[in-house]
C-alpha cells in the first residue's frame, strides 16, 4: 500500500474497508471474519469481534475469537462482506463446535485414505 | 516497476487471478500497487461450489505475494509496447 510517492494513482488501500465487516482468508486455509480497525503497508490487520468460520461440506460453525491481530505474511485475501447478501448458501447447516471438529477429522481421514490408496495404485502401476 | 505500470494500464479490465492456494477469482481490476497487491471489484469465484464462504464477497484485496497467475483478456496486451518497455527496462536496470 503506497502512502506517499510519485505513483499514487490508483492506490490499493484498505482505508476504504475500515470499520467494515471483512472476511480474511489465511495461508493455512482459515477464514476469519471481523471488523477492520487497523492495517499497515504489510497487510497486518486488526479485527474486532473476530470469529473463525469453519466449513465442512454443508456444515459450518462460527468460533468467537475477540480482538485479533493478523500478521500480514499470513494473509491471502481480504474480502468485503456485502451485508445485503447472504454470507453463505441457504443449504448450509450451522452445527456446534464439537460436531464441526468431528466433521473436519472425518474429512481429513478421508483425504488421507485417498492419498494412501492412490500411492498404492501408483506403486502397482496398473495401466 | 514495469509490471506495476503494466497493471495500471489494465485497470478496469476483467481478469482472473489464480492464487497459490488454487483459489481462482474473476473480477474487474480496480487498483494495483508497488507490491502488486490487487484490488478486484464485482468478484466471482471461478469454482464457487468449492468456496461457499466467498458468496457475499463482491470486492476484495489480494496480497501480491499469494498470486500465482493473472489471466488477462486476449486484447489486453499490446505486445509491441510491452516488448519495447521490457527492452528499455533491461537496458536501464
Amino acid at each position: 500500500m503506497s502512502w506517499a510517492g510519485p505513483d499514487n494513482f490508483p492506490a490499493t488501500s484498505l482505508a476504504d474497508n475500515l470499520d467494515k465487516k471483512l472476511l480474511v482468508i489465511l495461508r493455512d486455509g482459515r477464514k476469519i471474519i471481523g471488523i477492520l480497525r487497523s492495517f499497515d503497508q504489510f497487510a497486518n490487520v486488526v479485527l474486532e469481534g473476530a470469529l473463525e468460520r469453519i466449513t465442512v461440506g454443508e456444515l459450518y460453525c462460527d468460533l468467537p475469537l475477540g480482538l485479533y491481530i493478523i500478521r500480514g505474511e499470513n494473509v491471502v485475501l481480504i474480502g468485503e462482506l456485502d451485508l445485503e447478501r447472504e454470507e453463505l448458501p441457504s443449504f448450509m447447516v450451522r452445527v456446534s463446535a464439537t460436531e464441526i471438529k468431528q466433521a473436519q477429522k472425518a474429512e481429513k481421514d478421508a483425504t488421507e485414505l485417498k492419498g494412501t490408496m492412490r500411492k498404492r495404485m501408483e506403486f502397482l502401476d496398473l495401466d | 516497476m514495469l509490471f506495476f505500470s503494466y497493471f495500471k494500464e489494465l485497470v478496469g479490465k476483467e481478469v482472473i487471478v489464480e492464487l497459490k492456494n488454487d483459489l481462482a477469482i474473476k473480477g474487474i481490476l480496480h487498483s494495483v500497487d508497488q507490491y502488486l497487491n490487487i484490488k478486484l471489484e464485482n468478484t466471482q469465484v471461478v469454482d464457487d461450489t468449492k468456496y461457499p464462504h466467498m458468496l457475499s464477497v463482491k470486492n476484495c484485496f489480494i496480497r501480491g505475494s499469494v498470486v500465482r497467475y493473472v489471466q488477462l483478456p486476449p486484447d489486453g496486451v499490446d505486445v509491441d509496447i510491452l516488448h519495447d518497455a521490457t527492452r528499455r527496462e533491461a537496458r536501464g536496470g
Side-chain angles (χ1 to χ4, degrees):
Chain A
M1 275 149 277
S2 35
W3 292 106
D7 310 77
N8 255 342
F9 169 83
T12 304
S13 165
L14 287 171
D16 301 328
N17 290 321
L18 278 172
D19 301 329
K20 290 206 176 115
K21 189 171 177 190
L22 302 178
L23 166 72
V24 182
I25 303 183
L26 304 182
R27 278 189 358 212
D28 63 4
R30 271 190 272 206
K31 286 97 70 184
I32 314 280
I33 295 174
I35 301 174
L36 182 69
R37 292 304 191 198
S38 186
F39 65 95
D40 68 5
Q41 69 267 39
F42 305 111
N44 295 326
V45 290
V46 174
L47 295 177
E48 192 179 8
L51 53 96
E52 181 184 343
R53 179 160 288 161
I54 307 178
T55 55
V56 180
E58 287 181 1
L59 311 174
Y60 78 95
C61 180
D62 291 342
L63 301 176
L65 300 170
L67 187 61
Y68 246 44
I69 297 178
I70 302 176
R71 191 180 158 89
E73 63 173 319
N74 299 294
V75 170
V76 167
L77 175 157
I78 299 180
E80 188 183 322
L81 289 168
D82 191 350
L83 297 171
E84 282 167 33
R85 291 171 187 271
E86 284 302 306
E87 285 177 11
L88 287 169
S90 43
F91 62 76
M92 297 201 63
V93 181
R94 188 171 181 171
V95 297
S96 69
T98 26
E99 272 190 73
I100 203 83
K101 292 211 166 80
Q102 283 170 353
Q104 267 184 322
K105 187 165 186 308
E107 192 187 45
K108 184 166 158 236
D109 291 342
T111 38
E112 270 181 39
L113 180 64
K114 243 169 72 176
T116 52
M117 282 186 66
R118 180 176 293 142
K119 281 196 210 117
R120 279 193 217 132
M121 296 303 276
E122 281 170 2
F123 176 76
L124 292 172
D125 193 27
L126 297 166
D127 264 327
Chain B
M1 293 303 280
L2 194 162
F3 280 89
F4 176 34
S5 308
Y6 176 57
F7 278 127
K8 280 198 285 189
E9 296 300 308
L10 289 171
V11 166
K13 300 235 166 59
E14 187 176 75
V15 296
I16 300 178
V17 182
E18 184 177 322
L19 308 180
K20 290 179 185 170
N21 66 358
D22 294 341
L23 177 61
I25 305 169
K26 190 195 304 193
I28 304 204
L29 185 64
H30 171 268
S31 55
V32 67
D33 66 12
Q34 51 172 321
Y35 305 112
L36 303 186
N37 294 330
I38 290 171
K39 257 194 150 178
L40 292 180
E41 297 207 316
N42 290 340
T43 56
Q44 192 188 331
V45 176
V46 171
D47 186 3
D48 46 14
T49 48
K50 206 169 157 204
Y51 304 99
H53 49 274
M54 293 281 296
L55 188 66
S56 76
V57 175
K58 292 303 157 206
N59 304 323
C60 66
F61 165 89
I62 301 171
R63 202 171 192 264
S65 60
V66 303
V67 174
R68 184 186 288 143
Y69 306 124
V70 179
Q71 295 172 31
L72 310 168
D75 56 352
V77 189
D78 186 327
V79 187
D80 299 321
I81 296 186
L82 199 59
H83 282 173
D84 289 339
T86 308
R87 275 181 224 114
R88 253 181 281 129
E89 183 103 352
R91 231 175 284 139

